[in-house]
Amino acid sequence: MTTTTPWPFGADADEHDPLTALRIPVTSWSPSWRYIAAFDRASEERPTDAEAAMLASYIEEYKEYFFNDWYKAVLLQRPLDVDAVTRVFHKWGPDDWSYRLVTWRNGPQWAPPGPHFASSYSQRAPYRLEAVMDRIHTLGEDQPARRWQKWKASHPDVFSPADETARP
């Protein structure tokens, strides 16, 4: 007789979504649980395999930076990593991403704002997922934090080497 542990996240995260196998929660724009990062199930498009690898790496970098080995082992006792202010990633279209912190209560829902904010008066270029992740790691600086740059450089199979001519 085998016993299975019930899915602890209920309807908050999709248990059988393929991203869940990569420890990426698929949730709403405002999940109840505090995941490290999640993918918005209402996105207009799904992540590519390469983008899914970036999302999984983003979560792993967070754990490596903020948690010790003991606590990382505790996190592994659940199928998804919970213990953070969730960053939810939304995909608008090919190579076009935004994110939000679930604690945001005022201002735009997504950063950068979604393409629906573009008008004849302003243009909004699509933002690649890596550019959005760089933006998250750029606090009061003009470039991403050194720890994030080192992480990306040490994971060339996930993040392409820096290309000065690449668009956002």
Side-chain angles (χ1 to χ4, degrees):
M1 178 174 149
T2 59
T3 60
T4 58
T5 305
W7 181 245
F9 307 105
D12 195 52
D14 300 343
E15 180 178 7
H16 301 292
D17 191 286
L19 294 175
T20 301
L22 297 173
R23 300 182 67 81
I24 302 167
V26 178
T27 68
S28 71
W29 64 274
S30 184
S32 299
W33 286 77
R34 296 300 177 228
Y35 310 102
I36 292 172
F39 176 71
D40 182 14
R41 68 172 63 100
S43 292
E44 286 73 4
E45 287 201 17
R46 297 279 302 177
T48 64
D49 290 345
E51 290 167 337
M54 283 186 210
L55 290 167
S57 187
Y58 177 93
I59 293 168
E60 194 59 34
E61 186 276 338
Y62 188 97
K63 293 188 302 188
E64 285 296 316
Y65 184 76
F66 287 105
F67 304 137
N68 62 28
D69 289 339
W70 174 85
Y71 195 65
K72 285 186 270 187
V74 169
L75 290 175
L76 287 174
Q77 294 175 9
R78 286 197 171 131
L80 302 170
D81 301 306
V82 178
D83 182 313
V85 174
T86 307
R87 282 149 182 86
V88 178
F89 290 89
H90 184 98
K91 187 173 183 182
W92 303 100
D95 267 346
D96 194 4
W97 289 82
S98 294
Y99 81 99
R100 74 179 307 273
L101 292 175
V102 295
T103 56
W104 290 350
R105 297 292 177 240
N106 298 310
Q109 182 173 344
W110 301 103
H116 54 281
F117 280 99
S119 70
S120 58
Y121 301 107
S122 67
Q123 297 298 315
R124 179 199 175 274
Y127 282 83
R128 295 174 297 111
L129 179 57
E130 184 175 348
V132 170
M133 290 177 174
D134 287 350
R135 182 179 175 154
I136 292 169
H137 287 90
T138 306
L139 300 173
E141 302 291 330
D142 56 351
Q143 61 181 320
R146 187 168 297 150
R147 78 168 216 263
W148 177 244
Q149 292 178 41
K150 285 181 181 179
W151 179 267
K152 290 190 333 177
S154 67
H155 294 83
D157 55 322
V158 177
F159 299 98
S160 58
D163 179 359
E164 297 299 323
T165 63
R167 66 175 173 77

